[in-house]
Amino acid sequence: MSWLKGHSFLYAFIVAMLDAGAVLIATLIAAALTHEVSGELSFRETVHTYFLYSITFYFVWFWVALTLGLFLSNRKDNLLFQLSNTIKATLISLAFCGLAAIFLHPEGGEAQAIAYFGVICFVIISGYRALLCLFVWGIRQWGLNVRHVLLVGANDRTYRLVDTIFCHARFGYTIIGILEDDPARLKFLGQWERQVPHLGGFHDLERLLHDRVVDEVHICLPVRSCYEIIQSMAHFCVSLGVSVRMVADLFPLRIATSRLHRLESIPMLSLSTVPENPFPLVFKRLMDVLGAAVLLVGLSPVFLLVAIAIKLDSPGPVFFLQERVGLNHRRFRMIKFRSMVADAESRRKDLEALNEADGPVFKIRNDPRVTRVGRFLRRTSIDELPQLLNVLAGDMSLVGPRPLPPNEIERHSWDQRRRLSVKPGMTGLWQVSGRSDLPFKEWLELDLAYIDNWSLFLDMVILLKTFRAVFRGHGAS
């Protein structure tokens, strides 16, 4: 299995061919199932019907899988990475199959066929890829396809790296030793539970690369105090064709994730608290647009009835527009059904003493400015529905932290302003966890927890819980 070590193109080619075989098998199985259920077409005709879908699926799959790194022999992969990215690639590929079906068969009737095909493709591809991962991990644990690693520098980050390598034999790394010439750090090295051979000082690097098999050099030295040493070592290793890796916790922040990006030929280290993978974000936006469009069309009769009720109940406009702060301090006009009297904003200063909310938020449970129709709209959350227009415009999302006015944002601490690192939403964790009943501190913690743990699945859970909370009217004001 030594070809796995240096021939990544061959590995990618083999996996791509296996993917093509999986799609072909899924096509035949789906055709057989469809033929058995319906019996309207012959098996050959059914296969021919699936052929275009399988071609569309594979080419889109290949492009998406290539983008997600599913053709790389990455030693740090895990089954969750393979499964989640396989799901993403499958869903995107099936979406294109659906578009092909709409174009070729506008009369419909292809949904069941595509569903059969998609489920079978996912099961076969994810199954064989999981087996491939287990096979490669197994041969590495047997001592095959290993990479010989030389460590430079003995400190806390080196200890964590050593512990990780020893605990995860599937990575296929063998530590041949460590270079260190500082007596204090050598003493620290002798206290480690896992014994790593000390092979000399930094000046011995050239000798070791000449005498020993070294596939990678992992440098764990602090950049600020050892910049010149790191630079000379890196230049020397690269000149010999030996891979150099550096432990990248240059800025050990509590919540930020570090990622390496390139802007043309310029390497850039990114520190971010929000996900940067474009595919989940594209799906989130797609879900926002489709969800908002469907709800606006379906609820249009409700909009008309509410507009009439507002006009009959009190003078003033149907909609209330207020400036709110969104993603990265972008300001936008949030739209709601008017639930207060027309001059509510000018009367707010007279009611400041009655504020029942803690923190930089203004809220009164029995606000005298709320109209009769407005109380019903607030209790049922119907007043929030026009924000679907903000979602369509891209200023908001269906799920996210609640947008606040600029004067309330100004009173946030810098840590609290991390809420602005994502698009605000119509609903969020705090709405489904108590809504207006929660104190400001807990409300903020839930918003930040949403940002730190965001996923498409979490968005779906919040949306389902929102419907339940709205129907119960719990916590609405």
Side-chain angles (χ1 to χ4, degrees):
M1 299 304 294
S2 60
W3 56 270
L4 277 174
K5 180 169 66 176
H7 297 77
S8 56
F9 174 79
L10 181 59
Y11 176 85
F13 178 78
I14 292 175
V15 174
M17 291 300 99
L18 289 173
D19 285 347
V23 173
L24 178 60
I25 294 173
T27 302
L28 296 176
I29 295 176
L33 289 175
T34 304
H35 174 68
E36 184 177 343
V37 172
S38 64
E40 296 178 1
L41 301 174
S42 67
F43 180 70
R44 177 177 293 182
E45 291 173 326
T46 307
V47 172
H48 185 268
T49 301
Y50 273 104
F51 183 71
L52 180 61
Y53 297 142
S54 63
I55 293 296
T56 303
F57 180 93
Y58 181 72
F59 278 105
V60 177
W61 164 271
F62 182 84
W63 170 68
V64 178
L66 189 66
T67 305
L68 293 176
L70 285 173
F71 293 126
L72 298 177
S73 176
N74 194 332
R75 292 177 179 269
K76 296 170 286 300
D77 278 357
N78 53 49
L79 288 178
L80 181 60
F81 170 86
Q82 288 284 340
L83 180 61
S84 62
N85 283 346
T86 300
I87 291 174
K88 295 172 191 174
T90 301
L91 291 176
I92 295 174
S93 303
L94 284 179
F96 276 86
C97 288
L99 292 176
I102 293 173
F103 178 75
L104 294 172
H105 302 281
E107 71 278 3
E110 299 295 317
Q112 184 181 19
I114 294 175
Y116 277 146
F117 176 69
V119 171
I120 296 169
C121 269
F122 169 73
V123 170
I124 294 177
I125 293 176
S126 60
Y128 101 76
R129 280 179 169 270
L131 291 175
L132 181 62
C133 279
L134 293 175
F135 172 70
V136 174
W137 295 347
I139 64 174
R140 287 172 183 163
Q141 288 177 329
W142 296 336
L144 302 174
N145 184 230
V146 296
R147 303 279 284 176
H148 296 83
V149 175
L150 175 65
L151 303 178
V152 178
N155 49 49
D156 288 331
R157 68 183 72 179
T158 318
Y159 179 79
R160 292 197 302 272
L161 177 61
V162 169
D163 195 55
T164 301
I165 290 175
F166 271 93
C167 291
H168 297 85
R170 62 184 174 85
F171 292 160
Y173 287 128
T174 296
I175 299 175
I176 64 173
I178 188 169
L179 296 181
E180 179 58 73
D181 53 10
D182 187 322
R185 288 197 288 260
L186 283 174
K187 184 178 180 181
F188 175 69
L189 174 63
Q191 299 172 354
W192 290 2
E193 295 178 6
R194 303 187 186 277
Q195 296 301 313
V196 179
H198 177 233
L199 302 180
F202 301 148
H203 61 279
D204 293 309
L205 176 63
E206 182 177 355
R207 174 182 58 81
L208 283 170
L209 293 182
H210 183 271
D211 296 340
R212 301 284 294 269
V213 175
V214 179
D215 296 308
E216 297 180 12
V217 175
H218 291 192
I219 300 178
C220 306
L221 297 171
V223 175
R224 182 161 51 180
S225 59
C226 301
Y227 177 78
E228 292 184 359
I229 296 175
I230 294 172
Q231 185 182 43
S232 63
M233 286 184 170
H235 277 298
F236 182 72
C237 291
V238 170
S239 66
L240 295 180
V242 178
S243 299
V244 180
R245 302 186 188 276
M246 290 189 59
V247 178
D249 59 343
L250 305 179
F251 310 98
L253 303 179
R254 180 176 59 89
I255 53 177
T257 301
S258 61
R259 304 176 182 89
L260 185 63
H261 299 274
R262 280 190 174 272
L263 187 61
E264 290 296 337
S265 61
I266 305 173
M268 305 181 74
L269 183 65
S270 169
L271 303 176
S272 177
T273 60
V274 296
E276 296 183 355
N277 189 335
F279 288 100
L281 296 177
V282 168
F283 267 101
K284 180 177 175 68
R285 180 58 185 155
L286 183 62
M287 185 171 66
D288 287 341
V289 172
L290 293 179
V294 170
L295 288 173
L296 282 170
V297 172
L299 295 172
S300 54
V302 176
F303 275 51
L304 178 61
L305 293 175
V306 171
I308 295 172
I310 291 173
K311 295 299 288 185
L312 292 176
D313 183 51
S314 63
V318 172
F319 297 107
F320 171 69
L321 279 74
Q322 187 181 49
E323 188 176 51
R324 297 292 176 102
V325 182
L327 174 65
N328 293 334
H329 287 82
R330 289 177 174 84
R331 299 195 178 192
F332 66 97
R333 304 283 285 179
M334 190 181 77
I335 182 171
K336 300 174 66 173
F337 281 123
R338 181 173 61 85
S339 60
M340 293 185 176
V341 294
D343 61 343
E345 286 295 292
S346 61
R347 292 171 56 182
R348 172 171 168 167
K349 289 186 178 180
D350 300 331
L351 301 172
E352 290 281 358
L354 301 177
N355 185 20
E356 299 174 2
D358 60 337
V361 179
F362 180 81
K363 191 173 289 290
I364 303 174
R365 188 174 297 277
N366 296 312
D367 197 320
R369 300 171 297 167
V370 179
T371 63
R372 290 174 298 174
V373 170
R375 289 191 182 89
F376 171 78
L377 297 180
R378 289 186 164 206
R379 187 169 61 252
T380 57
S381 297
I382 292 177
D383 62 320
E384 310 281 355
L385 292 179
Q387 290 162 39
L388 292 168
L389 296 171
N390 292 117
V391 174
L392 274 182
D395 296 319
M396 294 179 61
S397 176
L398 291 176
V399 183
R402 195 78 183 116
L404 296 176
N407 63 319
E408 295 183 7
I409 292 293
E410 289 172 359
R411 288 181 279 174
H412 277 48
S413 67
W414 285 109
D415 286 342
Q416 294 169 347
R417 293 192 187 194
R418 191 158 61 86
R419 299 175 70 254
L420 305 179
S421 62
V422 299
K423 281 186 181 180
M426 292 182 62
T427 185
L429 268 181
W430 75 271
Q431 287 97 326
V432 300
S433 303
R435 301 173 76 190
S436 300
D437 297 336
L438 287 178
F440 174 75
K441 183 178 179 181
E442 293 183 28
W443 165 13
L444 185 67
E445 288 176 353
L446 287 171
D447 278 345
L448 297 180
Y450 168 78
I451 295 172
D452 295 338
N453 300 284
W454 176 79
S455 67
L456 291 172
F457 178 74
L458 179 60
D459 275 6
M460 295 301 297
V461 171
I462 291 174
L463 286 173
L464 293 174
K465 288 186 176 182
T466 298
F467 290 124
R468 184 178 65 180
V470 168
F471 285 130
R472 292 181 177 180
H474 177 65
S477 61

